[in-house]
Amino acid sequence: MKMTNRTFQLWHKGFCIILAALFLLCGCTPESPGEPNVEPDSVVVDPYALKTIRINDNTENIKILGVRHLPSDEVLYTDYSSSGIQFNADCRNDLSISLYSNNPCYFKVYVDGELLQYEDSDYYTVDKETTITIPNLTEGLHSFRIIKVTGYTRALCEIRSLTLEGELKEAPADKDLYIEFLGDSITCGWGVIGNHSGAYTDQDSSLSYAHLVAEKLDADYSLFALSNCGVLAGSITFDECYEFASWRRDSENKYDFIRKADITIIELGTNDYTQKIPQEDFEKALSRLIERIYDHNGEDCKIMIIYNMKNNNYAASLNKIAQIYELPILKLKRSTNSKTYNHPSAAEHAAYVDPLVEFINNNR
């Protein structure tokens, strides 16, 4: 059959339409003569996208404050005084931290080195499931530090997650020096705030000598402090629980001492004295504790003893043990704060810092 000019034009047009459709189905487009093949634009990721990050023992870019804690893949346990987290983030607007505590307790929050106040208070109260929100951050790099300032015997806590518009940056580096403080309510900072009724509102470990000394020495630290306990005194004793991370959570598995203490400061004996533990028993138990400290941290660990802040703390026994093990020992000024049963005030804690720093530096 002879193809007319009109038929040919229709056929050619249809063929071009089919060819174009095939190119589209194949993800291709016909190139114009002389034009290079242009790659599609790359996907742009918003660095300030909203994200929630689970916090646990292995979360990248989070520094754990207070080395002694029970490890977990689900949450980060922050039971002891001055335990918490530190991190850097490029972020903006609001940042929130999800926490849980079995009893009411206080946390402090620092942003870019400054204490953040909540409703004219230095403290955020965490009770059961709680969210702490840091509002109105300007876009850019910020540093954060969140610490529990209430002691272990008042509340067991966990940090679960943080939500932010932005991303975490490299975590703050570990310090060259790591100090573990073994102490009682004095080390917890009991009596430095509040009405001294024995509630969580009476404690702020960030105002205690231990926290202040660690900061002045630019050291990482662990405040293994138990209010109303001693070497052999209290509902749990250091003789029983020293080798555990958090005995109220797990009294079967031992603490791994993954980071060895360079220095261990012992502030114990006050409760042993007030609860009339026999001196001979106290001396034997303190000797066992010192041996365990060496066993778990190595013979290079520098053990130091401090005493006298509240009572004479078995001064003769402490000096006897210090002499046997050739340990440095420091008698500090007795508290005159009768309102807190002679627990040191915030001012008295601050006054301990310089003599303690000198004592530590002279015996390292």
Side-chain angles (χ1 to χ4, degrees):
M1 180 177 65
K2 184 177 181 181
M3 183 180 292
T4 65
N5 188 48
R6 173 66 177 165
T7 303
F8 177 80
Q9 289 176 346
L10 292 172
W11 179 86
H12 184 265
K13 184 177 180 179
F15 177 79
C16 289
I17 291 171
I18 293 170
L19 186 62
L22 288 171
F23 270 105
L24 289 173
L25 287 172
C26 294
C28 307
T29 55
E31 297 179 15
S32 300
E35 289 186 2
N37 187 23
V38 180
E39 293 291 335
D41 291 338
S42 301
V43 177
V44 177
V45 177
D46 180 7
Y48 293 104
L50 183 68
K51 59 177 66 70
T52 296
I53 300 168
R54 181 188 291 275
I55 305 298
N56 58 42
D57 195 48
N58 301 303
T59 302
E60 289 188 41
N61 302 332
I62 294 287
K63 180 174 181 177
I64 299 172
L65 303 176
V67 177
R68 185 184 283 262
H69 65 278
L70 191 68
S72 169
D73 292 329
E74 300 299 321
V75 298
L76 178 66
Y77 293 121
T78 53
D79 295 336
Y80 289 102
S81 302
S82 290
S83 60
I85 58 174
Q86 187 175 358
F87 60 94
N88 301 313
D90 182 6
C91 57
R92 65 185 182 190
N93 299 331
D94 294 355
L95 181 148
S96 60
I97 305 104
S98 173
L99 309 95
Y100 175 84
S101 176
N102 68 333
N103 287 310
C105 66
Y106 277 157
F107 271 74
K108 276 185 171 178
V109 175
Y110 299 83
V111 180
D112 299 326
E114 298 294 326
L115 178 64
L116 186 67
Q117 289 203 314
Y118 176 70
E119 296 181 350
D120 297 323
S121 171
D122 290 345
Y123 307 99
Y124 287 80
T125 298
V126 175
D127 186 13
K128 301 299 187 285
E129 294 185 5
T130 304
T131 298
I132 292 176
T133 299
I134 302 170
N136 305 321
L137 293 161
T138 57
E139 185 175 304
L141 185 64
H142 297 280
S143 64
F144 302 89
R145 183 165 57 134
I146 296 94
I147 60 170
K148 175 180 182 268
V149 298
T150 303
Y152 182 96
T153 54
R154 286 290 164 198
L156 301 181
C157 298
E158 57 194 53
I159 300 177
R160 293 178 168 180
S161 65
L162 66 88
T163 300
L164 75 165
E165 291 181 33
E167 55 188 18
L168 296 179
K169 295 301 183 180
E170 185 176 358
D174 286 344
K175 310 287 188 180
D176 292 335
L177 180 65
Y178 167 47
I179 307 174
E180 181 156 75
F181 297 86
L182 307 187
D184 49 39
S185 55
I186 296 172
T187 300
C188 291
W190 189 91
V192 299
I193 57 172
N195 60 11
H196 321 310
S197 63
Y200 72 96
T201 50
D202 295 328
Q203 293 184 18
D204 182 349
S205 62
S206 72
L207 300 177
S208 80
Y209 77 90
H211 186 104
L212 298 174
V213 164
E215 290 206 329
K216 187 148 188 177
L217 288 169
D218 194 28
D220 287 331
Y221 59 82
S222 173
L223 270 62
F224 184 28
L226 303 173
S227 186
N228 203 39
C229 295
V231 180
L232 280 179
S235 56
I236 188 73
T237 72
F238 279 84
D239 190 49
E240 295 170 314
C241 71
Y242 172 74
E243 294 178 316
F244 293 91
S246 180
W247 88 92
R248 288 170 65 188
R249 294 186 185 274
D250 185 345
S251 60
E252 299 296 327
N253 297 308
K254 299 291 183 71
Y255 177 49
D256 58 12
F257 289 87
I258 193 167
R259 186 173 183 185
K260 311 297 184 186
D262 299 301
I263 299 171
T264 297
I265 307 290
I266 299 175
E267 178 274 305
L268 293 171
T270 296
N271 292 305
D272 297 281
Y273 177 80
T274 56
Q275 296 183 37
K276 297 180 173 55
I277 301 296
Q279 277 187 263
E280 185 179 355
D281 293 343
F282 173 76
E283 291 170 8
K284 289 179 179 178
L286 182 57
S287 296
R288 284 196 300 271
L289 180 60
I290 290 168
E291 295 288 352
R292 287 170 179 164
I293 292 170
Y294 281 133
D295 286 345
H296 291 293
N297 295 285
E299 293 296 324
D300 291 335
C301 178
K302 302 295 185 182
I303 302 174
M304 305 177 192
I305 298 174
I306 60 175
Y307 73 104
N308 195 55
M309 290 112 104
K310 187 177 183 294
N311 59 34
N312 73 6
N313 286 4
Y314 289 145
S317 294
L318 289 170
N319 280 278
K320 176 182 175 181
I321 298 300
Q323 186 175 15
I324 291 171
Y325 286 93
E326 299 182 341
L327 306 179
I329 184 167
L330 178 65
K331 181 179 181 180
L332 290 164
K333 187 175 180 180
R334 180 81 57 85
S335 171
T336 59
N337 192 6
S338 60
K339 292 180 181 178
T340 60
Y341 310 102
N342 288 95
H343 285 76
S345 65
E348 287 173 322
H349 275 282
Y352 293 145
V353 174
D354 286 342
L356 258 171
V357 167
E358 182 181 5
F359 170 69
I360 291 168
N361 283 333
N362 288 341
N363 292 285
R364 289 169 62 174

